[in-house]
Amino acid sequence: MSVVNVSEKSIAPRPVSQHRPAPVMVIMAVVFSLLSLIPPAFIVYIGFDTGWETVKALIFRPRVAELLSNTLLLVLVTVPLCVFVGVMLAWLTERTTLAGRRLWSMLAVAPLAIPAFVQSYAWVSAVPSIHGLSAGVFLSVLAYYPFIYLPVAAVLRRLDPTLEDVAASLGTPPLRVFFRIVLPQLRLPVWGGALLVALHLLAEYGLYAMIRFDTFTTAIYDQFQSTFSGPAANMLAGVLALCCLAILTLEGATRGKARYARVGAGAPREQKRWRLNVLFQVLGQMFAFAVILLAFVVPLAVLTRWLWLGGIENWNQANLWMSLQQTLVLAASGAALTLLASVPIAWLSVRHPRPLFRMLEGCNYFTSSLPGIVVALALVTVTIHYARPIYQTEITLFLAYLLMFAPRALINLRAGIAQAPVELENVARSLGKTPATALWSVTLRLAAPGAAAGAALVFLGVCNELTATLLLSPLGTRTLSTGFWALTSEIDYVAAAPYALLMILISLPLTGILYVQSQKLAGL
């Protein structure tokens, strides 16, 4: 590839605001970032307050060793299997002549519309004997492999085939070309997807509770139910937080610094698809069919069976429609509040990219990587001791949603604000507009698509959130997820089916948007 000259304009630093950041924006960003530090500060404080002797007695015991073993085995087995399934499906649908590859690519992301605990509900009701580590790995792969598939498929569509052609011209067999040329270029999407899968495995509660597989999350919830924020639950939360920090550190240390962008004259050539012979065509179809059958068709078939058995009377439950209404209200309110809270941080990080503001932004990313049950446990303890009036109120619940889902809004807001020309904002302020007016009337209007995408992601996260809502919601609050969980806990699978279907119907549109966006990012 030939290296082309780059103009000074193209390498100029990103333009920033000509004005000093508004004090109100800085204060709001600092306040929201300090709130995000409540869970990690709680973990550190509890460790010191409990005392080393008690900490040692609670942590260094067989039960914790068992939970740690279960959790580590779950991550170590599930993540590689998710990588294998995701990369294999992405390669078949994007780089081969697999028949029906467009349809398979759409179906490959469909399991994202099924919450993990609904996936578990379907399989447990179909195969009641399913339980333990093997069941946890099996169901986790079905629920989370799309986190690998989506980014890997998007990167495969954009890869320049020149290096592959050079290797093939030197006599390198196709399989070796894939492992030596293509696979190394997938390191970033694979590592990023693997990080998401690992964090979800640490945070998941409903999936593993249904199959009676003990992890830190299920043990913390059980301890909370029995001792109500006792030291045992707090210590388990601390160990779980350390596991999350270890995974984040490992991913950052192994990501590498290789360059993956193509620099050269002209546009990259169209991707060459590997022609599959009859045998590999059949094997490819069988693999794709098996994955979609297990991850999407079986849960829908089981759900349809329960809906059929329940009949039309099953939809006449008063609690069902109340749960749908409360879910939509909480999700819409949570999305709006999270979006508003994220605006100052996103705006400062783009318009005034100083280390302090980047650090404030980073606080939110770290806290969101903690499992929801750790965030909820921290808020329960803090509100009981220091803010009793807001304990078990909507304020605490919305604060949990803010801490857990702020990055979903931040990432999209940052992208939208970065695409809005800073010059327009500067002109508006030079004409006498206040900083808030200029931000609202100019920048945020241009960043509206990114803001809407962020709000939609937060909306979906709140709709399917289980553990924090179970622990923090006020008395009488019943969302689709908590209502579904209450009924499945009573083994009333027929009555739980409408709740599951409504959650899937709410999730399907966003899943379709994610698929369309991945196609656009690839230039299709």
Side-chain angles (χ1 to χ4, degrees), residues 25 65 82 96 117 120 181 214 224 259 286 306 340-341 346 356 388 434-435 449 463 521:
M25 300 291 281
C82 284
T96 72
F117 52 86
S120 183
I181 304 300
D214 291 336
F224 178 83
R259 178 186 177 91
M286 291 176 60
W306 289 125
L340 288 175
L356 173 62
R388 183 62 71 95
T434 63
C463 284
L521 288 174

Side-chain angles (χ1 to χ4, degrees), residues 94-179:
E94 303 301 331
R95 301 301 297 274
T96 72
T97 57
L98 184 73
R101 62 182 187 85
R102 293 288 187 184
L103 176 61
W104 290 124
S105 68
M106 287 188 290
L107 291 175
V109 302
L112 282 177
I114 304 178
F117 52 86
V118 174
Q119 185 85 249
S120 183
Y121 149 82
W123 279 95
V124 167
S125 58
V127 188
S129 61
I130 189 171
H131 71 281
L133 175 63
S134 58
V137 170
F138 174 70
L139 295 177
S140 299
V141 172
L142 298 183
Y144 296 127
Y145 82 83
F147 288 119
I148 305 288
Y149 172 82
L150 268 175
V152 170
V155 170
L156 281 175
R157 297 184 201 114
R158 298 196 302 267
L159 286 183
D160 188 351
T162 303
L163 293 177
E164 299 169 53
D165 292 342
V166 171
S169 68
L170 295 175
T172 307
L175 192 61
R176 188 173 296 179
V177 169
F178 174 79
F179 281 102

Side-chain angles (χ1 to χ4, degrees), residues 443-511:
T443 304
L444 290 184
R445 285 193 177 185
L446 295 175
L457 285 171
V458 176
F459 183 93
L460 181 62
V462 174
C463 284
N464 295 333
E465 207 288 318
L466 179 62
T467 50
T469 307
L470 282 173
L471 268 62
L472 297 174
S473 58
L475 295 177
T477 300
R478 186 183 178 97
T479 65
L480 288 174
S481 60
T482 59
F484 169 85
W485 187 252
L487 291 169
T488 54
S489 299
E490 300 169 0
I491 321 297
D492 192 350
Y493 294 150
V494 172
Y499 290 83
L501 180 61
L502 288 175
M503 283 189 284
I504 292 174
L505 292 177
I506 292 174
S507 303
L508 272 175
L510 182 60
T511 302

Side-chain angles (χ1 to χ4, degrees), residues 41 106 132 143 161 189 249 257 282 291 308 314 349 359 367 410 488:
M106 287 188 290
T249 304
K257 299 181 180 180
V282 172
V291 173
W308 176 263
N314 209 22
S349 67
M359 183 179 67
T367 299
L410 273 173
T488 54

Side-chain angles (χ1 to χ4, degrees), residues 69-81 133 137 194 197-199 201-202 247:
S69 174
N70 286 351
T71 304
L72 290 179
L73 283 173
L74 181 70
V75 172
L76 292 175
V77 178
T78 302
V79 171
L81 287 176
L133 175 63
V137 170
V197 172
L199 292 177
L201 295 177
L202 294 181
I247 288 177

Side-chain angles (χ1 to χ4, degrees), residues 14 16-17 19-31 33 341-358 360-361 410 413-414 417 425 429 439:
R14 176 162 49 88
V16 297
S17 176
H19 304 271
R20 296 179 61 185
V24 174
M25 300 291 281
V26 176
I27 292 172
M28 292 175 64
V30 170
V31 169
S33 298
S342 302
V343 167
I345 302 172
W347 181 77
L348 288 171
S349 67
V350 174
R351 294 294 189 243
H352 304 275
R354 301 172 185 172
L356 173 62
F357 300 145
R358 292 290 177 86
L360 295 178
E361 183 184 14
L410 273 173
L413 270 173
R414 278 191 57 185
I417 292 174
E425 192 175 321
R429 294 188 63 177
L439 175 63

Side-chain angles (χ1 to χ4, degrees), residues 285-307:
Q285 294 288 343
M286 291 176 60
F287 179 79
F289 177 76
V291 173
I292 303 306
L293 174 68
L294 297 174
F296 190 65
V297 177
V298 168
L300 287 187
V302 173
L303 183 59
T304 302
R305 175 176 175 267
W306 289 125
L307 290 169

